[in-house]
Amino acid sequence: MAIKGLSKARFEEIMRAYVRPSDPIDSYEHLVGRVKQQESIEEAINSPGKHVFIYGDRGAGKTSLAQTIAHEHNPSATAPVLVACGQKTTFTTIIYDIAAQLVGRSRYVVAEGTRTLGGKLAAGAFAEINGSMSSKVSERPIDAIDLNAAASLLQEAAVKRGGRSIVVVDEFENLPSLEDRQLFAELIKQLSDRKVQVTLVFCGIGKSLEDLLQGHGSSHRYLHEVRLPTPPLNFGQRWEILDTAAAQLGLTVNADSRLRIAQVSDGFPHYVHLICEKLFWLAFRDDEELEELSPEHYMDAVHNALGSVEARLRAAYDLAVKKDLDQYQEILWAVADHYELDRNIQSIYTNSYERIMALRGRVPLTQAIFSARITALRGTSHGSILTGQRRGWVRFSENLIRGYVRLVAEGSGVRLALEHEPAPAPKALTAGGGRRGINAAAPRRHYESWGKGLGKD
């Protein structure tokens, strides 16, 4: 294809290893920007009786961090245990899932084995599982398990497997029952007190551990808390993902596009990986053999990325803007037009909204109407896409959607987040000015001249 000396098989191999917008990272080699958190978690899991809770924004990389730690520190002869919470999972089903993976059996077989012995969780239960018991999956509901039985079951499973095991319990916020969350809080203490060779690593969306755990107060001393920052990655870390993958492919990305990827992604690794995925596939399929990618490739990559963003984010955006009635779309773009998460409404209007409307060639709303629209965007009829704790200030209710808002603006020809740029950008450089955009006829030399002098740091 169009990348010199690179077969399709090798291209796909590199992409699978270095560009992963959907699949969690599971090795230190490809995990970027988490050295401090890795080191603190390593200290915790090597402290007897300690468990780990990783929390923060959706899309911040919690699962990747947890799985990387689990694969690195689980005994090499076995795989780490990975379970996820959902709206229909319970404390009981998760415990049986963990025990089943520890002993290498179906969850239903483990549950049937414990029922066969009248619910007594002793070594005999596992002898039954591994010996005479049929491996046929039961269709009957699994009996509920209490705290002590759960601790005993995991203890028996850990003994059978041998050595310490790392267990990742992902999406903890989806566990619907408060009682079940409290059982997990109490289980942590039980496992630690019994010296069970299982280290639990929880992941959840929340602003504090208490938001997620809501349980036994004394369990906190058995937990090492890791809160991922917002934004998750700084500019250098965003560029590290891009540059490492590009180098593996034998490509370079022009300075301006490199800057825009870092800005539009808003620090979320998902968006960096997503834009890179689209960008590098465009390069591979280009008619010309390439070594350096142009801003035009970047612009097309932005359009392609918009079609691949998860449906939940697209639906939230569409609900909020109401098909752009009353200019809600430009207001959201204005809110997203700065690195600060909490923004003053007056500053948004003066420093962002008026500039955006001028770029769009549209008459801005009055300040009074603008403020009313901001209030509406905080309401349920617009999905409560905005929120605010202080009067006169506003922020996105979910930070991950702010990156999507930036991506939409970029695809529509409006360049946001200019605070890190050396000078005002020409309008032709926005994604709307790409081969499918509003300035499609602009010559490539214009873009290249803009990129000159922009450093890589």
Side-chain angles (χ1 to χ4, degrees):
M1 288 282 187
I3 301 178
K4 185 176 181 179
L6 206 62
S7 67
K8 185 175 183 181
R10 179 58 181 155
F11 172 79
E12 291 175 345
E13 180 184 354
I14 293 171
M15 292 292 286
R16 286 193 296 269
Y18 290 89
V19 184
R20 300 165 70 166
S22 302
D23 187 31
I25 304 297
D26 55 13
S27 69
Y28 284 145
E29 179 186 4
H30 304 304
L31 188 66
V32 173
R34 290 291 174 257
V35 173
K36 181 178 179 181
Q37 291 86 358
Q38 290 170 18
E39 292 174 347
S40 71
I41 293 173
E42 286 175 345
E43 293 173 9
I45 63 178
N46 283 289
S47 176
K50 274 285 188 183
H51 302 271
V52 178
F53 213 121
I54 305 170
Y55 61 99
D57 281 340
R58 190 188 305 275
K62 300 178 294 297
T63 302
S64 289
L65 177 59
Q67 291 197 13
T68 298
I69 290 292
H71 281 89
E72 180 70 19
H73 293 279
N74 206 71
S76 58
T78 59
V81 174
L82 309 176
V83 297
C85 302
Q87 291 301 311
K88 292 188 177 181
T89 56
T90 65
F91 176 78
T92 294
T93 60
I94 294 170
I95 292 299
Y96 278 131
D97 276 338
I98 295 171
Q101 290 190 51
L102 288 173
V103 300
R105 293 289 186 272
S106 161
R107 177 225 290 176
Y108 292 96
V109 173
V110 173
E112 284 292 300
T114 61
R115 184 186 292 114
T116 300
L117 297 179
K120 295 180 180 179
L121 298 163
F126 288 95
E128 189 80 17
I129 293 165
N130 296 320
S132 60
M133 185 172 176
S134 167
S135 61
K136 182 179 179 181
V137 174
S138 169
E139 297 297 332
R140 292 184 292 170
I142 294 176
D143 292 340
I145 191 171
D146 62 26
L147 173 66
N148 290 322
S152 296
L153 178 58
L154 295 187
Q155 186 171 31
E156 293 292 341
V159 169
K160 170 174 173 47
R161 183 181 239 205
R164 182 188 59 190
S165 295
I166 309 294
V167 176
V168 176
V169 182
D170 202 4
E171 299 180 321
F172 191 73
E173 76 282 355
N174 288 335
L175 193 63
S177 167
L178 175 59
E179 181 181 356
D180 282 351
R181 294 191 190 190
Q182 292 172 336
L183 281 170
F184 270 109
E186 294 167 358
L187 177 67
I188 291 165
K189 182 177 185 302
Q190 286 287 314
L191 295 179
S192 299
D193 290 348
R194 295 187 187 205
K195 298 180 171 55
V196 178
Q197 291 297 296
V198 169
T199 298
L200 298 177
V201 180
F202 296 91
C203 299
I205 299 169
K207 296 179 181 177
S208 72
L209 182 59
E210 194 58 37
D211 287 346
L212 295 162
L213 204 53
Q214 301 180 33
H216 202 283
S218 64
S219 66
H220 285 260
R221 66 188 175 96
Y222 298 95
L223 277 170
H224 174 65
E225 303 179 25
V226 179
R227 189 183 191 285
L228 298 189
T230 299
L233 301 178
N234 61 37
F235 269 68
Q237 292 160 351
R238 302 171 207 181
W239 284 324
E240 183 178 347
I241 295 173
L242 167 64
D243 294 341
T244 301
Q248 289 293 318
L249 295 168
L251 297 171
T252 58
V253 179
N254 76 92
D256 183 59
S257 298
R258 189 172 173 272
L259 176 63
R260 292 308 300 158
I261 290 170
Q263 291 175 316
V264 171
S265 69
D266 207 18
F268 284 90
H270 168 71
Y271 289 123
V272 180
H273 282 272
L274 180 62
I275 297 172
C276 285
E277 177 186 65
K278 303 306 180 184
L279 183 63
F280 296 144
W281 271 107
L282 282 168
F284 187 74
R285 290 170 174 152
D286 200 286
D287 294 333
E288 301 177 10
E289 193 172 87
L290 300 173
E291 291 184 0
E292 180 175 353
L293 301 180
S294 71
E296 292 176 330
H297 289 106
Y298 161 72
M299 296 167 198
D300 284 350
V302 167
H303 287 286
N304 291 347
L306 281 168
S308 297
V309 171
E310 63 179 289
R312 180 186 65 84
L313 296 177
R314 294 200 303 269
Y317 183 87
D318 291 343
L319 174 62
V321 301
K322 302 286 189 182
K323 297 183 179 178
D324 201 28
L325 294 177
D326 298 323
Q327 301 176 338
Y328 285 109
Q329 181 164 253
E330 288 90 349
I331 294 172
L332 284 183
W333 297 353
V335 177
D337 183 38
H338 202 272
Y339 71 91
E340 292 179 335
L341 300 179
D342 288 284
R343 298 195 63 196
N344 178 270
I345 295 174
Q346 174 64 51
S347 175
I348 296 170
Y349 184 87
T350 302
N351 298 323
S352 297
Y353 177 68
E354 289 184 326
R355 177 183 70 84
I356 289 169
M357 295 303 284
L359 285 172
R360 299 279 277 175
R362 300 178 65 179
V363 178
L365 301 170
T366 66
Q367 281 191 262
I369 297 176
F370 175 86
S371 296
R373 298 289 183 270
I374 289 281
T375 299
L377 287 166
R378 297 168 66 171
T380 55
S381 64
H382 291 263
S384 302
I385 196 170
L386 299 181
T387 187
Q389 300 299 320
R390 293 182 290 169
R391 184 176 181 181
W393 292 73
V394 70
R395 65 180 295 162
F396 283 93
S397 54
E398 181 185 338
N399 290 324
L400 186 62
I401 201 170
R402 193 174 80 150
Y404 178 67
V405 171
R406 287 185 173 189
L407 202 61
V408 174
E410 189 87 342
S412 300
V414 174
R415 190 163 178 151
L416 303 182
L418 304 179
E419 62 270 6
H420 289 92
E421 300 196 359
K427 186 175 181 181
L429 277 183
T430 64
R435 284 175 280 186
R436 286 178 287 186
I438 56 177
N439 291 320
R444 181 172 296 191
R445 61 180 180 272
H446 180 73
Y447 297 101
E448 292 173 344
S449 66
W450 164 248
K452 290 179 181 178
L454 284 178
K456 292 191 175 184
D457 297 311

